[in-house]
Amino acid sequence: MRFIGSSVFCIAILAWAILPLQSQVLTSQPHIGVEQVPLDDNEIYAFIRHLSVRGVITGFSEAELPLSQFEVAGFLHQAQPAKLSGAEQSLLTKFLQTYALDPRESVTMFPADDAKPLFFDGIFTQQDKYLYQWYDDSTKSDLFVHGIGSAEYLRQTSPASESVKLLNLGGRFSGTISGHVGYFMQTTNGVAIGDQQLALADPTLSKNNNLRYFTNFFDFTTAELSYNNDWFTGKIAREAVAIGGGYQNDNVLLSANGVPTFDFFSLGAHIGAVRYQAILGSLVQDTVPYIEPPYPLKYLAVHDLTFGIGRNAELGFTDIMVFTERLDLAYLNPFSFLGTVKHGLDGQDHDNGLLGTHVRWQIIPGIEVRGQAALDDLEINEIGKGYWSNKWAWQFGGMWAGAFGCPNLDWEAEWIHVEPYTYSHWDTVGAYSSSQTLLGAQIGPNAQSFWTSLRWIPDSKWTFLLDGQFIERGENIYDSTGNLLYNAGADYHASMTAQGAPYDTHFLEGRRVNIYTLTAEIEFEPWRGLTIFASGTKKIVDYLGGTPSTPGFDLTGLPVSQAPQELPETLIDLGVKAFF
């Protein structure tokens, strides 16, 4: 493990040193748009990905997200309208206005340059809406103030009939100072009226401690203060981060989909085809029965190097360390190999390290493939022998832009595979998690998923989505009182225990379950900033019959619990959201 990690890191450094920098420096002049484009703005990321896979633009990478508004504007400016369909042209026009301020036509609640002075003069238009907008071209400075609101009705028709109304209101402040400093803050506060447990079925709301433990209110805050000068960007932030480039932002390396935001410092470099980012983040310790209060401090260090290979491919290497109980200066070094640093610090193996790689290749215009792999632990002499501590995960996916000859239809598919015990750690506090949530693939260990999605955008107002997912999982087995009888490596909180088989551990052992999920969604934006949406989800859970596979353990006669850990459901979601 140590030799492999050091070799991979050295290769990565060598590649960075000798790779010809064929592109220009990202920017050598002060510019507006230093602030981030949050991953919640998934519409713009999906569109730029579509243009990239079609071959209309080059240089786009989702290996390290989020991007700045300036970067997003640069990709949009690459697109030549003559190469686009009518729907693509209308989307390009919409996003250029929002992210590149091209043209500067907007509607504001309060007077501002190049904007109608009263909000209601242009509410029913395709212009961007603001509560306030200000900019100064001479100093490359600006300020944008938005209001955010949403009303949502969620109804469950099976296995029980329940409903909940979700009301949410907040604001966003963002902009640039003197062409170098970017700032961003978004805060929302909401209330769940009705069945609170149904509200917690939402992956985002389920991570809100206010709603989960105390009241029917929920709130969220993301914020960023960043500095950019030429190739360098540094930031302190509380925001979603993704490393790896998965199509769902559900990565085996570092996910953003369903993961609570956390606070971090980061230093980054982007020169031509090469990107490097170092992150030091503060995590929230899991509050589970395995860990007694007071809960120890928990931190995350991530180093990622990504470099382009020609115009159509990229390769990246990722080095990750979770460390607890102290903030160690050695992990603050933004350019080091964390695994080797750990060996010089932690003689008791308290810290939990992972190594990863990710790759993207556009085979031909319109067809792209991506892949990731995460190595949690490896004993080379035990490969193929059922040894529990050979822990890794991988994912492979592809995208067809303009599928079936339709230029506005995208088809994506992805396979994620996570071996037993992956992301766990013998010292439970060091598990690869934050606030009861995995930082890696959300299906968890001892599972695999097959996901596919169709996205059709016939014009700039309508979006149609159809997602399907099939998950295979081997669950741990418990008795009727909740005690563990057989450890299949399916719980990232529990490393190898006396209920496991250290030399006879295999994929999908334990209590077998298959989960099928189908979601259809429609979005309609009649006027810019106002979106009406409707979706339906059907989840089928099938616990397979027969005797579970439990090598080395005979559970005959024991009070094995038959209570399902997953429940089937049918959900209907209706709502409206406003950004003004």
Side-chain angles (χ1 to χ4, degrees):
M1 170 74 174
R2 187 180 309 177
F3 172 77
I4 293 176
S6 301
S7 300
V8 168
F9 190 73
C10 290
I11 292 171
I13 298 300
L14 180 61
W16 193 13
I18 66 175
L19 185 71
L21 303 180
Q22 301 172 353
S23 306
Q24 297 297 315
V25 171
L26 177 62
T27 174
S28 58
Q29 300 295 328
H31 57 83
I32 61 173
V34 175
E35 69 273 21
Q36 61 140 337
V37 176
L39 296 181
D40 288 344
D41 296 358
N42 53 10
E43 188 182 29
I44 179 61
Y45 285 105
F47 180 63
I48 299 177
R49 181 192 307 144
H50 168 85
L51 295 180
S52 175
V53 176
R54 282 241 292 120
V56 175
I57 64 174
T58 60
F60 176 62
S61 171
E62 293 183 273
E64 300 174 2
L65 293 177
L67 302 178
S68 72
Q69 185 171 312
F70 178 78
E71 291 174 294
V72 167
F75 290 122
L76 294 173
H77 279 305
Q78 279 191 43
Q80 301 178 22
K83 296 181 178 181
L84 306 180
S85 68
E88 291 169 332
Q89 290 182 29
S90 65
L91 285 168
L92 179 63
T93 299
K94 178 171 77 171
F95 292 136
L96 279 171
Q97 180 178 261
T98 300
Y99 297 101
L101 308 179
D102 180 17
R104 279 180 172 163
E105 296 178 355
S106 60
V107 181
T108 66
M109 178 69 77
F110 302 102
D113 294 338
D114 296 335
K116 295 181 180 180
L118 293 176
F119 184 88
F120 297 101
D121 284 353
I123 189 171
F124 302 113
T125 70
Q126 299 308 318
Q127 293 180 337
D128 284 344
K129 282 85 177 176
Y130 300 91
L131 291 181
Y132 182 76
Q133 177 194 42
W134 168 84
Y135 47 84
D136 181 357
D137 287 335
S138 64
T139 62
K140 301 296 182 184
S141 302
D142 55 28
L143 165 66
F144 304 99
V145 182
H146 283 99
I148 301 171
S150 65
E152 188 174 353
Y153 174 73
L154 186 62
R155 182 168 185 81
Q156 181 186 68
T157 61
S158 69
S161 180
E162 305 287 352
S163 66
V164 64
K165 302 178 185 69
L166 304 172
L167 304 178
N168 202 22
L169 190 65
R172 176 187 292 184
F173 300 81
S174 62
T176 301
I177 301 173
S178 298
H180 291 294
V181 177
Y183 57 93
F184 178 99
M185 182 178 70
Q186 177 173 306
T187 299
T188 59
N189 195 295
V191 60
I193 304 171
D195 187 276
Q196 194 165 320
Q197 291 303 310
L198 182 57
L200 292 172
D202 181 280
T204 301
L205 293 181
S206 67
K207 310 304 186 299
N208 187 269
N209 290 335
N210 228 13
L211 183 64
R212 183 163 39 178
Y213 298 122
F214 304 115
T215 178
N216 63 334
F217 287 92
F218 54 90
D219 53 1
F220 294 96
T221 293
T222 56
E224 173 189 287
L225 184 64
S226 57
Y227 176 80
N228 170 261
N229 192 349
D230 201 0
W231 51 268
F232 170 80
T233 299
K235 68 170 68 172
I236 177 172
R238 179 183 180 86
E239 64 191 26
V241 180
I243 301 291
Y247 291 109
Q248 312 166 67
N249 274 335
D250 184 5
N251 302 309
V252 299
L253 294 175
L254 182 57
S255 291
N257 187 11
V259 175
T261 55
F262 57 89
D263 299 280
F264 64 90
F265 297 96
S266 73
L267 300 176
H270 180 187
I271 305 178
V274 181
R275 291 175 178 268
Y276 182 80
Q277 185 175 30
I279 297 172
L280 180 69
S282 175
L283 305 177
V284 178
Q285 187 60 259
D286 293 346
T287 54
V288 295
Y290 307 98
I291 306 173
E292 296 294 332
Y295 301 111
L297 299 175
K298 188 172 185 179
Y299 299 98
L300 173 72
V302 180
H303 298 169
D304 183 80
L305 171 67
T306 300
F307 50 91
I309 303 175
R311 292 171 55 88
N312 301 320
E314 70 178 22
L315 177 64
F317 298 94
T318 309
D319 188 15
I320 300 172
M321 187 67 65
V322 173
F323 57 104
T324 61
E325 300 179 354
R326 85 286 183 202
L327 183 59
D328 205 308
L329 183 63
Y331 292 133
L332 293 177
N333 186 339
F335 200 73
S336 62
F337 179 53
L338 298 171
T340 299
V341 170
K342 168 191 170 179
H343 295 147
L345 296 174
D346 183 17
Q348 298 181 356
D349 194 34
H350 282 296
D351 302 338
N352 185 13
L354 293 87
L355 286 173
T357 186
H358 48 88
V359 63
R360 178 182 61 85
W361 178 32
Q362 183 190 52
I363 302 173
I364 59 174
I367 302 292
E368 177 190 82
V369 293
R370 299 183 184 184
Q372 298 176 51
L375 180 62
D376 191 348
D377 207 350
L378 178 66
E379 294 290 340
I380 295 178
N381 294 334
E382 302 294 340
I383 292 178
K385 299 179 181 180
Y387 185 57
W388 75 278
S389 193
N390 282 330
K391 304 183 292 184
W392 57 76
W394 66 82
Q395 70 189 87
F396 177 79
M399 176 173 170
W400 182 9
F404 308 105
C406 179
N408 309 316
L409 178 67
D410 291 338
W411 183 16
E412 299 169 334
E414 203 157 47
W415 170 36
I416 299 178
H417 178 111
V418 187
E419 286 286 308
Y421 296 100
T422 304
Y423 304 128
S424 68
H425 194 53
W426 74 267
D427 181 7
T428 307
V429 298
Y432 191 55
S433 62
S434 179
S435 190
Q436 284 75 246
T437 307
L438 270 174
L439 296 175
Q442 296 301 290
I443 59 172
N446 201 28
Q448 65 180 353
S449 72
F450 302 89
W451 170 86
T452 188
S453 175
L454 287 170
R455 176 191 293 264
W456 181 44
I457 306 180
D459 60 42
S460 61
K461 295 184 177 182
W462 289 94
T463 300
F464 298 86
L465 293 169
L466 182 64
D467 286 358
Q469 186 178 41
F470 169 51
I471 298 176
E472 294 182 294
R473 179 178 295 138
E475 295 180 345
N476 291 350
I477 299 176
Y478 301 86
D479 67 17
S480 55
T481 62
N483 294 316
L484 182 63
L485 295 178
Y486 177 72
N487 187 352
D491 182 357
Y492 68 88
H493 291 118
S495 187
M496 174 55 64
T497 63
Q499 295 78 23
Y503 289 94
D504 202 1
T505 297
H506 302 281
F507 186 60
L508 293 183
E509 288 179 337
R511 188 184 185 193
R512 282 282 290 111
V513 59
N514 292 338
I515 305 167
Y516 309 83
T517 305
L518 183 66
T519 300
E521 182 176 352
I522 300 174
E523 291 188 357
F524 175 53
E525 188 180 29
W527 307 290
R528 186 65 172 139
L530 181 69
T531 303
I532 303 166
F533 61 90
S535 69
T537 299
K538 180 68 175 180
K539 182 168 79 170
I540 300 172
V541 179
D542 180 19
Y543 278 92
L544 306 187
T547 303
S549 176
T550 57
F553 290 82
D554 184 2
L555 306 183
T556 304
L558 296 178
V560 175
S561 172
Q562 298 300 317
Q565 298 179 36
E566 289 277 352
L567 294 174
E569 62 183 3
T570 303
L571 295 174
I572 299 172
D573 190 8
L574 306 172
V576 59
K577 52 189 176 182
F579 187 69
F580 55 92

